[in-house]
Amino acid sequence: DPEKDYLGYNRHVENLANLLETVDVSKRAYSVGIVGEWGIGKSSLLKLFEKYKTGQSDIVVRFNPRHAKNTNLIQEDFFNQLRAKLSKYSGNVGIRIDKYAYALQLTTPSKWLYAIWDLFTNWTADAEKQRINEVLRSLHRKIYIIIEDLDRLTGEEILEVLKLIDANGNFCNTFFLT
Protein backbone atom coordinates (compact mmCIF):
# COMPACT_ATOMS: atom_id res chain seq x y z
CA ASP A 1 0.00 0.00 0.00
CA PRO A 2 1.63 3.29 -1.06
CA GLU A 3 0.01 4.97 1.96
CA LYS A 4 1.87 2.60 4.28
CA ASP A 5 5.31 2.73 2.68
CA TYR A 6 7.29 1.42 5.64
CA LEU A 7 10.39 0.83 3.51
CA GLY A 8 10.42 4.33 2.02
CA TYR A 9 10.24 3.06 -1.54
CA ASN A 10 7.61 5.44 -2.93
CA ARG A 11 10.20 8.01 -3.99
CA HIS A 12 12.32 5.26 -5.60
CA VAL A 13 9.27 4.08 -7.54
CA GLU A 14 8.52 7.61 -8.73
CA ASN A 15 12.17 8.15 -9.70
CA LEU A 16 12.24 4.87 -11.61
CA ALA A 17 8.96 5.67 -13.37
CA ASN A 18 10.22 9.13 -14.34
CA LEU A 19 13.50 7.69 -15.59
CA LEU A 20 11.73 5.07 -17.69
CA GLU A 21 9.59 7.77 -19.28
CA THR A 22 12.79 9.10 -20.89
CA VAL A 23 13.73 5.74 -22.45
CA ASP A 24 12.96 5.24 -26.15
CA VAL A 25 11.11 1.94 -26.51
CA SER A 26 9.59 2.70 -29.89
CA LYS A 27 11.56 -0.12 -31.54
CA ARG A 28 12.53 -2.55 -28.79
CA ALA A 29 12.01 -3.39 -25.15
CA TYR A 30 14.08 -2.13 -22.26
CA SER A 31 14.89 -4.12 -19.14
CA VAL A 32 15.62 -3.15 -15.59
CA GLY A 33 16.93 -5.44 -12.88
CA ILE A 34 16.14 -4.79 -9.24
CA VAL A 35 19.06 -6.17 -7.25
CA GLY A 36 19.31 -6.58 -3.49
CA GLU A 37 19.78 -9.05 -0.71
CA TRP A 38 17.03 -11.47 0.21
CA GLY A 39 14.38 -9.79 2.37
CA ILE A 40 15.29 -6.20 1.47
CA GLY A 41 11.94 -5.60 -0.24
CA LYS A 42 12.50 -6.12 -3.98
CA SER A 43 9.02 -7.60 -4.37
CA SER A 44 7.54 -4.77 -2.33
CA LEU A 45 9.19 -2.22 -4.60
CA LEU A 46 7.83 -4.00 -7.69
CA LYS A 47 4.33 -4.12 -6.19
CA LEU A 48 4.48 -0.38 -5.45
CA PHE A 49 5.65 0.20 -9.02
CA GLU A 50 2.76 -1.90 -10.33
CA LYS A 51 0.22 0.12 -8.33
CA TYR A 52 1.82 3.38 -9.42
CA LYS A 53 1.71 2.46 -13.12
CA THR A 54 -1.71 0.82 -13.00
CA GLY A 55 -3.10 4.16 -11.81
CA GLN A 56 -1.95 5.69 -15.09
CA SER A 57 -2.81 4.71 -18.64
CA ASP A 58 -0.06 2.10 -18.74
CA ILE A 59 -0.51 -1.67 -18.87
CA VAL A 60 1.15 -3.82 -16.23
CA VAL A 61 1.61 -7.56 -16.68
CA ARG A 62 2.85 -9.57 -13.72
CA PHE A 63 4.55 -12.87 -14.56
CA ASN A 64 6.09 -15.39 -12.21
CA PRO A 65 8.08 -18.06 -14.09
CA ARG A 66 8.18 -20.21 -10.93
CA HIS A 67 4.55 -21.07 -11.58
CA ALA A 68 5.39 -22.89 -14.83
CA LYS A 69 5.11 -26.65 -14.55
CA ASN A 70 8.52 -27.07 -16.17
CA THR A 71 11.24 -25.07 -17.89
CA ASN A 72 9.86 -25.80 -21.36
CA LEU A 73 6.57 -24.09 -20.48
CA ILE A 74 7.94 -20.79 -19.14
CA GLN A 75 7.67 -18.94 -22.44
CA GLU A 76 4.33 -20.50 -23.37
CA ASP A 77 2.94 -19.48 -19.96
CA PHE A 78 4.31 -15.97 -20.46
CA PHE A 79 2.63 -15.55 -23.85
CA ASN A 80 -0.65 -16.92 -22.48
CA GLN A 81 -0.56 -14.35 -19.69
CA LEU A 82 0.44 -11.55 -22.06
CA ARG A 83 -2.39 -12.47 -24.45
CA ALA A 84 -4.93 -12.51 -21.63
CA LYS A 85 -3.89 -9.07 -20.39
CA LEU A 86 -3.50 -7.34 -23.77
CA SER A 87 -6.75 -8.78 -25.17
CA LYS A 88 -8.57 -6.32 -22.89
CA TYR A 89 -7.07 -3.49 -24.96
CA SER A 90 -7.06 -4.93 -28.49
CA GLY A 91 -9.26 -7.57 -30.03
CA ASN A 92 -6.73 -8.92 -32.51
CA VAL A 93 -3.62 -9.00 -30.32
CA GLY A 94 -4.58 -12.43 -28.98
CA ILE A 95 -4.47 -14.11 -32.36
CA ARG A 96 -1.18 -12.34 -33.14
CA ILE A 97 0.40 -13.62 -29.93
CA ASP A 98 -0.95 -17.14 -30.56
CA LYS A 99 0.49 -17.18 -34.09
CA TYR A 100 3.81 -15.81 -32.86
CA ALA A 101 4.09 -18.46 -30.13
CA TYR A 102 3.24 -21.11 -32.70
CA ALA A 103 5.88 -19.76 -35.11
CA LEU A 104 8.42 -19.91 -32.27
CA GLN A 105 7.33 -23.55 -31.80
CA LEU A 106 6.28 -22.86 -28.23
CA THR A 107 2.73 -24.12 -28.71
CA THR A 108 1.09 -26.94 -30.60
CA PRO A 109 -2.61 -26.07 -30.70
CA SER A 110 -5.15 -27.33 -33.19
CA LYS A 111 -3.25 -28.07 -36.39
CA TRP A 112 -6.22 -27.52 -38.68
CA LEU A 113 -6.55 -23.92 -37.50
CA TYR A 114 -2.91 -23.20 -38.34
CA ALA A 115 -3.21 -25.02 -41.66
CA ILE A 116 -5.99 -22.58 -42.58
CA TRP A 117 -3.84 -19.63 -41.47
CA ASP A 118 -0.99 -20.96 -43.61
CA LEU A 119 -3.23 -20.95 -46.68
CA PHE A 120 -4.11 -17.28 -46.31
CA THR A 121 -1.04 -15.79 -44.67
CA ASN A 122 2.63 -15.89 -45.33
CA TRP A 123 4.02 -15.72 -41.84
CA THR A 124 7.11 -16.36 -39.85
CA ALA A 125 8.10 -15.55 -36.30
CA ASP A 126 9.68 -12.27 -37.42
CA ALA A 127 6.61 -11.28 -39.44
CA GLU A 128 4.31 -12.09 -36.52
CA LYS A 129 6.53 -10.16 -34.13
CA GLN A 130 6.24 -7.12 -36.41
CA ARG A 131 2.46 -7.51 -36.46
CA ILE A 132 2.42 -7.61 -32.66
CA ASN A 133 4.56 -4.46 -32.61
CA GLU A 134 2.06 -2.73 -34.93
CA VAL A 135 -0.78 -3.59 -32.54
CA LEU A 136 1.24 -2.43 -29.52
CA ARG A 137 2.04 0.88 -31.21
CA SER A 138 -1.65 1.40 -31.94
CA LEU A 139 -2.47 1.08 -28.22
CA HIS A 140 -0.48 4.25 -27.43
CA ARG A 141 0.40 2.79 -24.03
CA LYS A 142 3.55 1.53 -22.38
CA ILE A 143 3.60 -2.07 -21.22
CA TYR A 144 5.45 -2.95 -18.03
CA ILE A 145 6.15 -6.64 -17.54
CA ILE A 146 7.11 -7.50 -13.97
CA ILE A 147 8.92 -10.81 -13.64
CA GLU A 148 9.05 -11.98 -10.04
CA ASP A 149 11.42 -14.29 -8.22
CA LEU A 150 14.12 -14.53 -10.88
CA ASP A 151 16.58 -15.14 -8.06
CA ARG A 152 14.72 -18.30 -7.06
CA LEU A 153 14.93 -20.02 -10.43
CA THR A 154 17.35 -22.72 -11.53
CA GLY A 155 20.10 -21.80 -13.98
CA GLU A 156 18.18 -23.40 -16.85
CA GLU A 157 15.01 -21.50 -15.95
CA ILE A 158 16.91 -18.22 -15.73
CA LEU A 159 18.33 -18.79 -19.22
CA GLU A 160 14.80 -19.40 -20.52
CA VAL A 161 13.56 -16.14 -18.98
CA LEU A 162 16.56 -14.22 -20.33
CA LYS A 163 15.86 -15.63 -23.80
CA LEU A 164 12.29 -14.43 -23.41
CA ILE A 165 13.40 -10.92 -22.40
CA ASP A 166 16.22 -10.58 -24.92
CA ALA A 167 14.66 -12.11 -28.01
CA ASN A 168 11.16 -13.55 -28.02
CA GLY A 169 9.42 -10.94 -25.86
CA ASN A 170 11.43 -7.97 -27.09
CA PHE A 171 8.48 -5.87 -28.31
CA CYS A 172 8.17 -2.15 -28.79
CA ASN A 173 6.67 0.01 -26.00
CA THR A 174 7.64 -2.67 -23.50
CA PHE A 175 9.66 -2.65 -20.31
CA PHE A 176 10.77 -5.68 -18.33
CA LEU A 177 11.35 -5.26 -14.61
CA THR A 178 12.93 -8.23 -12.87
Side-chain angles (χ1 to χ4, degrees):
D1 182 354
E3 302 300 319
K4 299 176 184 173
D5 180 24
Y6 299 120
L7 298 174
Y9 284 171
N10 277 332
R11 72 180 163 85
H12 296 298
V13 165
E14 289 177 22
N15 289 340
L16 176 60
N18 291 335
L19 179 66
L20 292 179
E21 285 298 318
T22 69
V23 176
D24 179 12
V25 288
S26 62
K27 294 182 180 153
R28 67 184 59 87
Y30 187 82
S31 18
V32 175
I34 308 299
V35 180
E37 293 181 29
W38 188 87
I40 196 136
K42 298 179 297 290
S43 293
S44 295
L45 182 121
L46 290 171
K47 286 177 185 171
L48 282 172
F49 185 88
E50 179 180 11
K51 286 187 179 196
Y52 183 83
K53 281 303 186 179
T54 300
Q56 301 175 358
S57 65
D58 301 308
I59 301 169
V60 179
V61 179
R62 180 173 282 280
F63 176 65
N64 192 326
R66 288 180 61 206
H67 296 160
K69 290 181 182 169
N70 65 50
T71 304
N72 298 335
L73 295 177
I74 287 174
Q75 291 201 49
E76 182 178 349
D77 288 353
F78 168 77
F79 285 113
N80 287 338
Q81 207 157 339
L82 185 65
R83 178 186 8 85
K85 186 71 170 199
L86 294 181
S87 291
K88 298 174 186 174
Y89 301 92
S90 170
N92 69 351
V93 74
I95 197 137
R96 293 285 166 226
I97 290 173
D98 285 345
K99 288 174 73 173
Y100 180 59
Y102 177 74
L104 291 172
Q105 299 179 349
L106 298 174
T107 59
T108 54
S110 170
K111 291 185 180 185
W112 67 267
L113 180 61
Y114 289 99
I116 292 171
W117 279 340
D118 286 340
L119 290 175
F120 297 104
T121 311
N122 180 14
W123 57 283
T124 63
D126 288 338
E128 285 308 317
K129 189 175 195 178
Q130 289 309 317
R131 290 181 182 112
I132 291 171
N133 281 330
E134 290 170 15
V135 172
L136 296 182
R137 282 186 193 96
S138 73
L139 295 178
H140 303 290
R141 297 171 184 250
K142 300 276 174 60
I143 300 159
Y144 294 88
I145 299 170
I146 296 174
I147 299 180
E148 279 282 3
D149 293 338
L150 193 63
D151 57 340
R152 295 181 183 173
L153 300 177
T154 66
E156 187 178 359
E157 291 168 332
I158 290 171
L159 289 175
E160 196 65 21
V161 172
L162 292 176
K163 183 169 56 172
L164 170 69
I165 292 169
D166 183 50
N168 297 342
N170 187 1
F171 302 118
C172 70
N173 296 343
T174 302
F175 293 91
F176 285 94
L177 288 87
T178 60

